[in-house]
């Protein structure tokens, strides 16, 4: 990776990935692009307004900056996707197809995240294997499975260096996630710090895989820097760092804020989606093929999130 383009850089992962990659590869070598203006991303490196569905404009950026690696982070997430499935398909697949074609034409490596949302149907919920039948019943999941297959196809058919991980819910404190089923695990911190109370839209007993942002950034860089000879899989690797229910994370927060309370107003769409996903992924293949190993567990993540959110909300005095 020498000249990097991040499409969808204004989102939850993109904002922090841009900063992270600029530290590693130099600010001038990491071009952030988003549909909307993002002054913070333009502050210390190149930023461009880009509608990824406009293939000509997308290709012109890749040509103009001599890009060799693309991160396609454009996504309509699971819960929002169900409100407008056709629109979600058009955006998710349009962004992916343009990224694949441009990567093929200009010889770029391409990273597109997949997700725990790619799973669905009848599969082992506990220690969900890397290779298993995937029959998601959300449009988000359908897009992710299609994306995994297309990524592998572009690699075997055209030799494009496509790589991907199946991200769990990503917990972070810089940019809020938007429209996902795992978003509760971020919202809970802001509500706990500002109000001491959270009303959770996901049922108390549902386990989902989660990961703290520093581990997500590490996974992206380590996979993209991995020796291709060692990769038996490409699109896409199971990765996880922790798995918990709303009750478990609330109990962990209570160790720091004993008066914190939580009740439930379960969203039926989020309930159906969350119960169709794995409880806990088996990420052995990622560990074996490119040395994946997370640094953050539930206890260390909660402590750090509370510190960061308190500071952000001016409640750290
Ligand atoms: N965070 C995503 C969602 O909840 C899953 O990848 O939709």
């Amino acid at each position: 990776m020498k000249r990097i383009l991040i499409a969808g850089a204004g989102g939850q992962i993109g904002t922090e990935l841009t900063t992270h990659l600029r530290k590693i590869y130099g600010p001038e070598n990491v071009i952030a692009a988003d549909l909307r203006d993002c002054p913070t991303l333009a502050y210390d490196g190149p930023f461009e307004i880009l509608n990824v569905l406009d293939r000509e404009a997308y290709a012109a950026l890749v040509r103009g900056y001599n890009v060799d690696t693309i991160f396609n982070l454009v996504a309509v997430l699971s819960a929002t996707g169900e409100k407008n499935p056709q629109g979600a398909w058009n955006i998710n697949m349009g962004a992916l197809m343009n990224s694949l074609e441009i990567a093929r034409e200009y010889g770029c490596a391409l990273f597109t995240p997949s997700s725990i949302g790619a799973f669905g149907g009848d599969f082992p919920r506990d220690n969900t294997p890397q290779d298993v039948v995937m029959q998601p019943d959300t449009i988000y999941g359908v897009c992710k499975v299609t994306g995994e297959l297309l990524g592998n196809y572009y690699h075997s058919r055209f030799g494009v260096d496509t790589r991907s991980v199946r991200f769990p819910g990503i917990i972070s404190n810089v940019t809020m996630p938007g429209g996902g089923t795992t978003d509760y695990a971020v919202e809970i911190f802001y509500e706990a710090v500002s109000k001491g109370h959270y009303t959770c839209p996901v049922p108390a007993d549902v386990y989902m895989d989660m990961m703290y942002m520093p581990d997500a950034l590490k996974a992206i860089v380590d996979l993209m820097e991995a020796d291709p000879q060692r990769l038996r899989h490409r699109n896409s690797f199971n990765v996880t760092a922790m798995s918990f229910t709303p009750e478990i994370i609330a109990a962990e927060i209570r160790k720091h804020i004993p008066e914190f309370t939580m009740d439930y107003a379960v969203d039926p769409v989020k309930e159906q989606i969350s119960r169709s996903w794995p409880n806990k992924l088996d990420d052995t293949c990622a560990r074996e093929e490119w040395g994946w190993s997370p640094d953050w567990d539930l206890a260390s993540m909660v402590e750090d999130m509370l510190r960061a959110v308190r500071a952000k909300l001016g409640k750290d005095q």
Side-chain angles (χ1 to χ4, degrees):
M1 291 195 275
K2 287 190 272 323
R3 295 285 278 177
I4 295 164
L5 175 66
I6 305 178
Q12 185 198 14
I13 296 176
T15 42
E16 292 192 58
L17 183 65
T18 301
T19 308
H20 189 66
L21 294 183
R22 282 177 176 168
K23 276 190 201 135
I24 299 175
Y25 300 102
E28 68 285 2
N29 291 320
V30 180
I31 299 96
D34 201 273
L35 195 55
R36 284 162 304 219
D37 198 14
C38 303
T40 52
L41 298 179
Y43 179 69
D44 65 343
F47 175 81
E48 299 281 349
I49 298 281
L50 173 67
N51 176 358
V52 289
L53 301 184
D54 180 345
R55 190 181 299 181
E56 262 318 299
Y58 194 166
L61 271 189
V62 168
R63 258 194 325 269
Y65 281 101
N66 207 13
V67 166
D68 62 28
T69 306
I70 298 171
F71 292 83
N72 166 34
L73 303 181
V74 174
V76 177
L77 297 188
S78 59
T80 302
E82 292 314 299
K83 293 181 188 152
N84 179 2
Q86 294 80 5
W89 171 270
N90 289 341
I91 292 171
N92 291 344
M93 298 316 298
L96 179 66
M97 279 311 298
N98 282 349
S99 301
L100 285 166
E101 273 299 293
I102 289 167
R104 180 174 73 85
E105 192 175 348
Y106 294 95
C108 302
L110 174 63
F111 177 89
T112 299
S114 185
S115 158
I116 51 172
F119 292 96
D122 187 13
F123 68 96
R125 296 289 195 273
D126 295 313
N127 295 319
T128 304
Q130 170 69 39
D131 299 311
V132 74
V133 174
M134 302 168 94
Q135 298 177 321
D137 53 9
T138 62
I139 194 66
Y140 178 66
V142 170
C143 292
K144 288 302 185 193
V145 172
T146 311
E148 291 191 14
L149 294 172
L150 279 169
N152 284 337
Y153 177 75
Y154 267 69
H155 176 62
S156 61
R157 178 78 170 79
F158 302 118
V160 180
D161 186 1
T162 55
R163 306 184 189 193
S164 173
V165 296
R166 293 178 184 137
F167 271 135
I170 305 293
I171 298 166
S172 66
N173 51 56
V174 176
T175 304
M176 294 296 278
T181 304
T182 57
D183 294 7
Y184 89 87
V186 178
E187 292 159 1
I188 192 171
F189 288 99
Y190 288 84
E191 299 292 295
V193 169
S194 61
K195 301 188 188 128
H197 180 79
Y198 180 55
T199 299
C200 183
V202 170
D205 63 331
V206 171
Y207 278 89
M208 285 188 278
D209 287 284
M210 301 280 175
M211 183 180 290
Y212 199 27
M213 184 63 91
D215 276 334
L217 301 176
K218 182 170 92 155
I220 292 171
V221 172
D222 287 358
L223 175 59
M224 293 309 282
E225 292 287 5
D227 176 0
Q229 306 296 332
R230 287 182 62 199
L231 300 181
R232 285 191 304 110
H233 298 82
R234 280 182 166 265
N235 303 280
S236 174
F237 285 93
N238 283 4
V239 285
T240 188
M242 61 192 91
S243 165
F244 54 74
T245 66
E247 282 299 296
I248 291 172
I249 188 174
E252 192 63 38
I253 289 173
R254 241 172 249 123
K255 290 181 186 168
H256 304 268
I257 308 176
E259 64 282 9
F260 173 61
T261 56
M262 184 160 81
D263 61 5
Y264 292 85
V266 171
D267 174 338
V269 174
K270 290 189 177 178
E271 166 154 33
Q272 187 257 326
I273 293 173
S274 59
R275 290 199 191 283
S276 77
W277 288 355
N279 296 336
K280 185 166 190 345
L281 296 174
D282 176 346
D283 59 8
T284 308
C285 289
R287 289 171 186 270
E288 288 178 356
E289 292 176 41
W290 48 277
W292 162 245
S293 165
D295 294 328
W296 295 81
D297 62 10
L298 176 64
S300 55
M301 178 276 289
V302 166
E303 190 178 343
D304 199 60
M305 273 298 284
L306 285 172
R307 181 198 51 74
V309 171
R310 278 183 179 130
K312 203 170 165 182
L313 300 181
K315 301 256 186 188
D316 51 347
Q317 300 309 321

